[in-house]
Amino acid sequence: MDPHGPVLVEGPVEIVLDDGTVARSDRFMVAVCTCLRSRTYPWCDTSHRPRERADASPENRNSR
């Protein structure tokens, strides 16, 4: 399990947010954000993943 990644939950899911609103998903598997960076919070949008620079050449990506 990635400590910075989402929590996967079997759906359907209802989450009560801090302001009392309820977020619902009818999907069979739901990724719930734990990093608080998601633009679609409480659902994960993969914002926790490190980003590569767009101008990085393929040779530079393979040298890591």
Side-chain angles (χ1 to χ4, degrees):
M1 185 165 128
D2 181 356
H4 303 288
V7 173
L8 297 177
V9 181
E10 287 187 33
V13 175
E14 288 188 356
I15 297 177
V16 179
L17 302 174
D18 290 339
D19 65 1
T21 59
V22 178
R24 293 181 177 88
S25 175
D26 292 327
R27 301 183 89 181
F28 69 93
M29 183 66 69
V30 179
V32 179
C33 176
T34 61
C35 73
L36 304 178
R37 294 182 209 152
S38 176
R39 291 183 185 144
T40 60
Y41 187 83
W43 317 123
C44 178
D45 68 359
T46 70
S47 292
H48 62 277
R49 293 183 185 165
R51 303 287 189 235
E52 290 187 18
R53 290 176 43 178
D55 63 346
S57 67
E59 297 83 33
N60 291 341
R61 284 187 233 147
N62 292 333
S63 65
R64 291 183 188 181

